[in-house]
Amino acid sequence: MPSDSGNTLDINASFRGGGRSVEFLDQINKASIVMLAETGIVPRDVAQRIAKGIAEVIENEKNGKAGFAPRESADYLDYEPRLIKVAGQEASRLHTGRSRQDLASTIARMNLRDGLLQTIAALIGVRESLLTKAEQHIDTIIPAYTHGVQAQPTTFAHYLLAFESALARATERLQETYVRVNKCPLGAAALATSSFPLDRNRLAELLGFEGLVENAYDANHLAPIDSALEVAAAISSAAIQTGMFAQDIHAQYAEPVPWFMLAAGELTGTSSIMPQKRNPAALEQLRAQSSILLSELQTMTWVSHNNRPGMFDYRMYDPVPAGRALQVFKLFKQVVDALVVNKARALEEVQADYSTTTEIADALLQRAEVPFRTGHHFASKLTDFGRGRGLKLQEIPFAEVARIYEEQAKEKLPLTEKEFREVISAEYMVFGRTGLGGPQTEESRRHMAKTGAALKLDQDGMEMNREKTAESNRKCKDEFEALKK
């Protein structure tokens, strides 16, 4: 916002636009004149002329009338001369009891509120795609990694549902943040209200807010910061998880035959010099854009840091722009929809390593009361033996298996060859799980049903909030139109 001193150096240029700031100022002006007329602070006949002026300015700007080029600024000092031009000096009474401080705080909250609803919708879209893809891969076994090394097998459904769970928490944080953001600061004036008996609750109602930021000092100088920081933090967690997903899938492209791939199409590209290459361009963009988004979300932290209440630094009409987040989550959804899994190749990768040896120690304990650490040492020795000879786990002769166990445990192996082969199979390990939240088929189906129900609730909640805001806008419009007559 241009400074009150009227300096020609416009240090506020970067904070002029963003989101729907100009539109939101128009809504605030309509709500303000309705309230001022209802309370009698502005006589109804004067309020009527001001309301007609507000409508005329909007129409003139819409039609590009001379002297009414579309505003790039939501600053009231840029707006008021236009209103006075069509409605006379008495139109300045619209600003009764207001300040650019509480106007800016209100516009910022309206942008945050609007951005939150759009971001929640985008995250719900990603989660729906993750669930749909998971439903197609309940029995698809894939390798999973810790420390960047193959650890244990799981299912692709289990993997996808893990990311859905993480994004569900991000959605929940955004929903909780929405409740706190959806409070109205208007009527706080500069920081201590005014001598005019404004009806702040009526302003909040007309603008679709659920209550007030009551303390006027807080409303303009503390709440704008922590609300924006909270929105940025909630989106940041989702941005990090998005980047992790992109990196995880992208890592498979180092393999000659990846088991995860993007379907051929607009999300992949070819090399300008190497005709054989198919580059996963969308994965690189998803990772890069997630990182850029994360860096942009730190802006509010740094402009607010080490500052005093009431300073210019954090005065942004659109403190956490939703544009890049929406692009990132749209691309995330496209990536999930385009993922193709080579089931046979994924299982081959599991069988090429020793990630099922964990089950040997568990089976020995469960079936023969062999102490876990004894079984663990045996499985480790078996791994070293096989790898040292270039053998896969399934290729180690059972006679060698029995010999290594007897040397290690000083007793015979309490498993037959059939039992041993069963225990080291990926299918046995993955689908034999019994723990809550595991990859076994029934548990995956239970998780999917729960996820589907949660998604429905989140979708309904988002639509309800949208409708509440839209209904308030309709009522405000009706009251404003009635005042004009």
Side-chain angles (χ1 to χ4, degrees), residues 139-169:
D139 61 350
T140 301
I141 295 174
I142 64 168
Y145 302 83
T146 61
H147 302 281
V149 178
Q150 190 178 151
Q152 292 182 350
T154 188
T155 65
F156 194 39
H158 192 228
Y159 173 85
L160 293 170
L161 290 171
F163 277 92
E164 192 287 325
S165 295
L167 294 181
R169 290 191 296 275

Side-chain angles (χ1 to χ4, degrees), residues 20-80:
R20 299 162 59 193
S21 301
V22 170
E23 175 188 343
F24 290 149
L25 177 60
D26 288 337
Q27 290 183 19
I28 291 169
N29 288 337
K30 291 178 181 180
S32 292
I33 198 60
V34 168
M35 180 276 296
L36 290 169
E38 289 176 347
T39 56
I41 295 173
V42 174
R44 188 168 184 86
D45 61 328
V46 176
Q48 182 183 49
R49 291 193 292 272
I50 294 173
K52 289 180 178 179
I54 292 170
E56 187 174 346
V57 170
I58 293 172
E59 189 65 21
N60 287 345
E61 291 174 347
K62 179 181 177 182
N63 296 327
K65 185 175 179 179
F68 288 90
R71 273 173 289 145
E72 296 180 357
S73 170
D75 189 341
Y76 187 75
L77 290 186
D78 290 339
Y79 170 83
E80 189 177 71

Side-chain angles (χ1 to χ4, degrees), residues 460-478:
D460 290 346
M462 181 198 63
E463 293 297 341
M464 181 183 69
N465 285 325
R466 276 182 168 168
E467 181 52 36
K468 281 184 178 179
T469 302
E471 179 62 21
S472 295
N473 289 341
R474 287 192 290 268
K475 288 181 178 179
C476 184
K477 180 181 178 181
D478 290 344

Side-chain angles (χ1 to χ4, degrees), residues 126-127 129-135 137 142 144-145 154-171 173 237-238 240-242 244-245 248 332 336 437-439 443-444 447-448 451:
V126 178
R127 291 166 55 201
S129 287
L130 287 166
L131 177 59
T132 298
K133 187 70 70 171
E135 289 170 342
H137 291 282
I142 64 168
Y145 302 83
T154 188
T155 65
F156 194 39
H158 192 228
Y159 173 85
L160 293 170
L161 290 171
F163 277 92
E164 192 287 325
S165 295
L167 294 181
R169 290 191 296 275
T171 305
R173 293 185 192 102
S237 67
I240 289 173
Q241 290 150 3
T242 300
M244 291 175 69
F245 184 89
D248 214 13
F332 193 173
V336 173
E443 183 60 12
S444 291
H447 192 167
M448 288 175 186
T451 296

Side-chain angles (χ1 to χ4, degrees), residues 143-144 150-153 349-351 353-359 387 393 429:
Q150 190 178 151
Q152 292 182 350
E349 191 69 15
V350 171
Q351 293 170 340
D353 208 337
Y354 281 72
S355 60
T356 59
T357 53
T358 300
E359 201 62 24
R387 283 178 172 165
L393 180 58
M429 183 170 182

